[in-house]
Amino acid sequence: MTENVLEMKGVTKIFPGMKAVDNVDFTLKKGEVHALLGGNGAGKTTLMKILAGVYQAEEGTILIDGQPVQVNSRRKSQELGIAMIFQELSIIPNLTVAENLFLSREKKKGITLDQKRMHEEAKHILDSIGLHISPMKIVKSLSIGERQMIEIARAISTDAKIIVMDEPTTALTKDEQEKLFELIKRLKTRGTGIIYVSHRMDEIFEISDRLTVLRDGKRIETAETKDMNMARVIDFMLGDEKFANDEVAKEKSKNRSKKTVLEVKDISFKKFKNISFEVFEGEILGITGLLGSGRTEILRAIAGLDPFTSGIVKLNGKECNIKSIQDAISQGIIMVPEDRKNEGIIPGMSIQKNLTLTNLPNYFPNGLTKENREREIANKNILELNIQPKNPNKHVGKLSGGNQQKVVISRCLNLKPKVLLLDEPTQGIDIVAKTELQLLFRSLARQGMAIIVVSSELPELVALADRTIILYNGQITKVLDDDEITDKNILYYSTGGSLS
Amino acid sequence: MTSKIEKQQTNGTGINQENVLKKIGKGLGQSQAIIFIGLVLLILIFSYLTPHFLSFTNFMNIVRQTAMIAIVAFGMTYVIIAGEIDLSVGAIIGITGMMSAIGIQTGLHPLLVIALCLVLGSVIGFINGVMVVKVQVTAFLATLVTMSILRGMSLASSPGSAPITINSTLFVDLATMNIGPIPIVLIYLAAILLIGHYTLNKTVFGRHIYATGGGAHAASLAGVNVKRVRVMVFIISGFLSAFSGLILAGRLSAGLPDSGTGWELDAIAAAVLGGTKFSGGYGTVVGALGGALIIGVLSNGLTLMGMTYAYQLMIKGAIIGLAVILDIWVRREEA
């Protein structure tokens, strides 16, 4: 029997109003790759943050090499041999590779830094994982993939027993991904345990030995990867959501209008080239692709945030010259941004003030606000979208993610958009609010609104989109229609399937 | 909201004292209530310690001294709510003082001089704003630059940096006269306070200021012209600083090249004492008035007690520090 390097028993973490992690057991053997799966909000990240010492669990025990331990700080976690490689890289761009590798554990000679020794050791570590990069190089000049390798090198240099990789391949090219997998195999032979968090089924089936599926904070299933198949894993991941998604999918309209509302012709900007597509009246058009494929950038360009440099956008046959957000708003092109906390809500303001913000000059053309009129509008919005709590004076920062999103969407709808642009509209939102919102989008479409949804959640696109555009490296590789929109097709084309 | 609660309180009968305080406190916003309670405490302490403190004449003295700081602090409050900072206010006071003295010396009509100085202050504010918005220098640096240049110009505007006397009764009267027993500056102060408060709370522009400081990205995506808001708050701050500079010149009957030195710190302190959060998005001019009054009462009371300026500075610093710590605690509890 192989030895367990990590055992988590009955771990529970409670956030106000919800159990983010609910009595979860999780084990990791030496030299094993254990994949951790689950939809957004399933509790994967929370569980890993408990392991990283970022959060403390309310209940449960953690054993490392059979010894019970207290992981009560980030530092403690590192001392216990746990290394985290998060999606957002934590290396410092303007330091050198060696400086990054030894950050906070610099080698010293007396009171000065021992640069020479650090370079030598860095070189040794990099060689040992087959990475031929000079330790003197400034990290800024490396590719994202190389930077990720540096992070892994850092983990190895701390003699980590457990390495957690959170969506490590999102920003990698195919080549870099293969390199990463080779490295993972090498780490396995050294006896390092790896927890591999990912959405991408194909990778999980390629690299993992076992997998655990979480849903709503609970552990649903742990099994040997070779005994599982994709369809079963997806069933485990979705649970009730599968039914909810079916509900949404049922609402798709059968006979769709062929009247073009928005026409995008040959637009280009930094991250995308010659993008053309149309959105019809009453249609929900999905746009997807990997991180960095340009999916968000296209939306931002149309919404006037980062105006495109060439090409044209036509609204109802007329060219609209969008140079700023105000231009887009005044023509009825309204965007719900992805980064809800920074770009969507103003957390310190009340629900009411957030709701009326966009349209304030229209409600009060003479520039003077009226409390009663504002309250009226806010209360109407609160009822329409079932925003909880129903108190217009509550600060938006204190609401749940789902309700914050409802505030943002409601605010946008007050402008009576002709085209609604949604960027990851249900990210980090609980299943109930999520279904409510998806049904809302569908009913808006039925009333004739043209909607574009950018999403990285495959089940959402499958349930919601009438057509889906797939991007790869800033270009459209495929447009899927109706029944062609399946998890498998989206995955295939968004990883460059048609090109390779 | 605020006025409604207070109205209910005054109309209602038999409400116990504590409840009233609590409700008023809630209406004012917590940190502001603390400021006014602190102010009352300070007044009580000084009344007990020095016999000359508690008199109408002395209070009017405090008002005369405080009004100018308060007016600058109102502008500063606007700037800080929008998430910026203005270090040039003291230097604007210096330059407007000198320019008004020179203008009157050269025989321009005092009213024209006043108008020109107010325009000058606004233009300086506009330059600050443009540096922040277009050149994208941080406000701290941009206004540090104007502060330094303007102070240099004030010192250079008179040979040997000597004060220039103002020989205009109209100009001096407009700053120092009394209407009945009330100093005219109190009327200026009240008018600016009302307009400032009303603009922040009852206009679209005011809402946009809070939104800009509370979350510039979100505000801009919601269609708020964040850049314009930023430029506007600097213009307002520049205008009010010039206004204050004119009053100071009138009171002194002279332009002094170094007048207004260090006022930026008093203005920032008044705003922060009044519950305006440095991170932007929160704050009121009523609070800033409270903050300015605390500073004014402190220096007046300490002077009456015979304390030198050196010790006053130390005590002032300590009290501001205390208030900021208190404010952070309150905020932590709220979160």
Side-chain angles (χ1 to χ4, degrees):
Chain A
M1 192 194 121
T2 17
E3 199 185 330
N4 279 334
V5 62
L6 169 74
E7 268 180 80
M8 298 175 91
K9 282 188 194 160
V11 173
T12 298
K13 173 73 197 170
I14 299 166
F15 286 128
M18 63 178 286
K19 276 188 178 172
V21 172
D22 189 357
N23 197 20
V24 167
D25 295 332
F26 185 86
T27 60
L28 180 70
K29 293 174 194 159
K30 260 192 179 156
E32 175 193 45
V33 177
H34 192 153
L36 190 58
L37 295 97
N40 285 328
K44 296 171 302 198
T45 310
T46 311
L47 188 67
M48 289 304 106
K49 283 194 169 163
I50 290 169
L51 198 57
V54 178
Y55 296 142
Q56 269 80 60
E58 266 83 23
E59 282 165 41
T61 49
I62 299 176
L63 287 86
I64 286 181
D65 291 332
Q67 300 296 316
V69 291
Q70 289 288 328
V71 191
N72 44 21
S73 72
R74 197 84 179 77
R75 182 158 278 259
K76 186 70 193 287
S77 163
Q78 283 165 359
E79 282 167 10
L80 289 166
I82 302 166
M84 297 275 161
I85 294 154
F86 287 114
Q87 237 174 313
E88 301 92 32
L89 302 177
S90 60
I91 50 179
I92 300 166
N94 29 10
L95 296 184
T96 66
V97 171
E99 281 165 342
N100 264 295
L101 283 179
F102 291 101
L103 197 64
S104 83
R105 346 170 250 117
E106 287 84 358
K107 305 278 179 224
K108 284 180 218 151
K109 200 157 53 182
I111 55 160
T112 57
L113 288 172
D114 190 348
Q115 296 280 10
K116 204 172 142 232
R117 211 175 116 212
M118 282 197 280
H119 280 160
E120 275 164 13
E121 285 190 28
K123 184 113 188 54
H124 182 72
I125 296 164
L126 294 172
D127 283 346
S128 76
I129 59 170
L131 198 58
H132 304 292
I133 295 172
S134 160
M136 322 272 276
K137 253 197 164 156
I138 302 286
V139 166
K140 226 186 326 197
S141 66
L142 304 179
S143 74
I144 300 290
E146 285 172 322
R147 291 186 203 185
Q148 199 149 29
M149 299 286 185
I150 303 293
E151 287 237 20
I152 294 170
R154 183 158 80 185
I156 294 165
S157 72
T158 58
D159 291 320
K161 285 182 276 203
I162 300 163
I163 300 182
V164 180
M165 300 184 183
D166 190 356
E167 300 278 357
T169 57
T170 19
L172 300 191
T173 63
K174 204 96 189 161
D175 264 10
E176 288 172 329
Q177 181 186 327
E178 266 158 34
K179 263 197 186 157
L180 176 71
F181 282 4
E182 259 168 51
L183 178 55
I184 289 175
K185 281 171 195 153
R186 213 184 292 211
L187 290 173
K188 282 173 67 171
T189 59
R190 289 168 157 225
T192 314
I194 293 167
I195 303 174
Y196 194 91
V197 183
S198 181
H199 280 114
R200 292 162 127 178
M201 294 291 168
D202 49 343
E203 284 175 15
I204 283 166
F205 279 94
E206 185 182 340
I207 197 77
S208 72
D209 303 304
R210 279 195 300 164
L211 57 84
T212 289
V213 179
L214 298 182
R215 191 177 68 225
D216 300 331
K218 295 189 188 67
R219 186 176 63 93
I220 302 299
E221 179 71 21
T222 298
E224 298 281 328
T225 307
K226 60 179 192 306
D227 301 335
M228 295 291 278
N229 62 47
M230 237 183 245
R232 281 187 66 197
V233 173
I234 289 174
D235 279 351
F236 283 129
M237 276 170 67
L238 293 180
D240 298 342
E241 195 174 339
K242 191 166 165 33
F243 301 110
N245 279 332
D246 289 346
E247 283 297 299
V248 175
K250 250 192 277 174
E251 297 295 318
K252 282 193 192 178
S253 53
K254 301 290 176 289
N255 356 320
R256 275 150 38 198
S257 157
K258 281 287 159 211
K259 188 175 166 256
T260 305
V261 176
L262 188 80
E263 188 181 356
V264 175
K265 249 189 188 163
D266 260 344
I267 60 167
S268 302
F269 192 51
K270 284 178 195 157
K271 285 213 172 155
F272 54 86
K273 277 192 297 285
N274 303 328
I275 298 291
S276 302
F277 60 85
E278 297 177 309
V279 196
F280 301 114
E281 187 183 65
E283 181 190 42
I284 298 183
L285 175 74
I287 297 183
T288 192
L290 304 178
L291 190 76
S293 62
R295 50 173 205 234
T296 295
E297 288 76 8
I298 291 174
L299 218 56
R300 292 175 77 91
I302 301 172
L305 267 80
D306 313 306
F308 46 89
T309 41
S310 69
I312 54 170
V313 170
K314 282 184 181 172
L315 186 66
N316 289 327
K318 260 181 33 201
E319 184 179 346
C320 36
N321 196 6
I322 300 168
K323 289 275 167 277
S324 67
I325 304 162
Q326 281 91 350
D327 287 348
I329 290 177
S330 68
Q331 302 189 52
I333 301 175
I334 318 289
M335 171 155 128
V336 175
E338 175 182 13
D339 184 356
R340 187 163 52 236
K341 290 235 145 51
N342 287 314
E343 300 195 321
I345 55 163
I346 297 180
M349 276 192 165
S350 64
I351 295 181
Q352 176 176 325
K353 288 180 180 172
N354 267 281
L355 281 171
T356 53
L357 187 62
T358 315
N359 224 0
L360 218 46
N362 293 340
Y363 295 138
F364 308 106
N366 60 359
L368 305 178
T369 60
K370 290 213 176 50
E371 174 77 16
N372 290 340
R373 172 97 178 89
E374 258 196 275
R375 173 93 40 82
E376 219 174 88
I377 295 162
N379 280 330
K380 193 167 146 264
N381 288 161
I382 287 172
L383 279 180
E384 277 168 356
L385 262 74
N386 184 27
I387 295 167
Q388 300 290 346
K390 296 203 182 310
N391 172 6
N393 292 321
K394 188 96 178 169
H395 279 193
V396 167
K398 294 186 176 166
L399 305 187
S400 72
N403 283 303
Q404 290 181 348
Q405 188 71 332
K406 283 181 183 176
V407 170
V408 177
I409 290 172
S410 189
R411 181 175 80 198
C412 293
L413 294 181
N414 284 341
L415 288 168
K416 309 245 180 309
K418 297 189 182 89
V419 181
L420 187 64
L421 310 175
L422 304 164
D423 196 356
E424 302 286 357
T426 62
Q427 200 174 59
I429 290 176
D430 65 281
I431 168 90
V432 178
K434 190 172 182 167
T435 312
E436 259 180 282
L437 284 175
Q438 288 173 343
L439 289 172
L440 170 75
F441 301 149
R442 188 37 80 188
S443 93
L444 290 170
R446 210 177 302 124
Q447 290 159 36
M449 198 181 285
I451 298 177
I452 303 180
V453 179
V454 163
S455 180
S456 55
E457 274 186 69
L458 307 190
E460 176 166 75
L461 287 173
V462 174
L464 203 54
D466 296 313
R467 282 187 305 143
T468 294
I469 289 176
I470 297 173
L471 298 166
Y472 184 76
N473 272 345
Q475 281 178 309
I476 296 178
T477 52
K478 184 75 186 170
V479 181
L480 297 173
D481 223 335
D482 281 322
D483 297 339
E484 295 168 7
I485 308 173
T486 62
D487 291 354
K488 221 179 125 212
N489 274 342
I490 296 176
L491 266 176
Y492 179 73
Y493 291 108
S494 58
T495 46
S498 64
L499 301 175
S500 54
Chain B
M1 261 308 283
T2 315
S3 62
K4 215 181 257 173
I5 288 173
E6 278 165 352
K7 232 180 263 166
Q8 279 167 5
Q9 293 309 321
T10 41
N11 290 346
T13 47
I15 302 165
N16 67 47
Q17 206 76 15
E18 210 176 306
N19 208 1
V20 174
L21 263 181
K22 217 188 258 171
K23 286 255 171 112
I24 290 176
K26 222 178 181 181
L28 285 170
Q30 266 179 323
S31 6
Q32 274 182 64
I34 291 171
I35 277 313
F36 284 98
I37 292 166
L39 186 61
V40 171
L41 275 178
L42 261 187
I43 292 174
L44 289 178
I45 292 168
F46 281 128
S47 306
Y48 176 76
L49 289 176
T50 66
H52 307 295
F53 183 78
L54 195 64
S55 72
F56 183 78
T57 336
N58 189 45
F59 270 45
M60 285 306 119
N61 254 334
I62 295 176
V63 166
R64 277 192 204 96
Q65 284 161 3
T66 311
M68 290 175 292
I69 291 276
I71 290 169
V72 179
F74 294 162
M76 188 66 79
T77 303
Y78 269 57
V79 173
I80 298 179
I81 293 174
E84 305 291 340
I85 190 84
D86 187 353
L87 299 180
S88 69
V89 292
I92 295 177
I93 289 168
I95 195 84
T96 42
M98 292 311 284
M99 287 304 137
S100 59
I102 292 170
I104 286 168
Q105 209 179 30
T106 52
L108 293 177
H109 191 276
L111 290 179
L112 178 65
V113 168
I114 290 171
L116 286 176
C117 282
L118 292 176
V119 170
L120 176 68
S122 313
V123 168
I124 295 166
F126 177 75
I127 294 170
N128 283 334
V130 167
M131 276 205 279
V132 170
V133 167
K134 292 274 176 220
V135 193
Q136 298 189 347
V137 191
T138 56
F140 191 95
L141 284 178
T143 57
L144 190 68
V145 167
T146 32
M147 167 177 150
S148 179
I149 292 175
L150 290 173
R151 183 61 70 196
M153 284 165 70
S154 308
L155 290 168
S157 64
S158 151
S161 296
I164 301 174
T165 324
I166 295 176
N167 293 315
S168 159
T169 20
L170 175 62
F171 188 88
V172 173
D173 278 352
L174 279 176
T176 55
M177 65 196 264
N178 281 10
I179 294 180
I182 311 282
I184 194 162
V185 283
L186 185 58
I187 293 166
Y188 294 148
L189 178 68
I192 295 173
L193 175 72
L194 279 177
I195 297 170
H197 180 76
Y198 185 81
T199 307
L200 268 183
N201 292 295
K202 295 285 172 200
T203 66
V204 171
F205 173 59
R207 184 70 54 77
H208 284 181
I209 297 176
Y210 282 111
T212 300
H217 280 299
S220 135
L221 257 165
V224 175
N225 192 336
V226 171
K227 289 181 178 173
R228 212 191 70 196
V229 170
R230 287 193 178 127
V231 173
M232 281 304 291
V233 293
F234 280 110
I235 293 178
I236 290 168
S237 175
F239 176 87
L240 290 178
S241 303
F243 193 91
S244 206
L246 288 169
I247 297 174
L248 183 62
R251 279 174 54 112
L252 300 170
S253 309
L256 267 61
D258 62 347
S259 67
T261 306
W263 282 37
E264 57 278 349
L265 299 183
D266 278 351
I268 294 169
V272 172
L273 278 173
T276 299
K277 306 237 185 313
F278 237 90
S279 46
Y282 297 90
T284 60
V285 284
V286 179
L289 176 68
L293 280 173
I294 286 212
I295 293 173
V297 166
L298 257 180
S299 38
N300 177 278
L302 292 173
T303 310
L304 286 182
M305 283 171 68
M307 211 165 274
T308 61
Y309 182 62
Y311 286 96
Q312 285 186 29
L313 272 182
M314 289 187 236
I315 291 173
K316 206 159 78 180
I319 285 186
I320 293 167
L322 208 70
V324 172
I325 292 168
L326 239 159
D327 177 58
I328 290 171
W329 280 348
V330 170
R331 215 182 326 173
R332 235 177 244 161
E333 261 168 48
E334 280 171 0

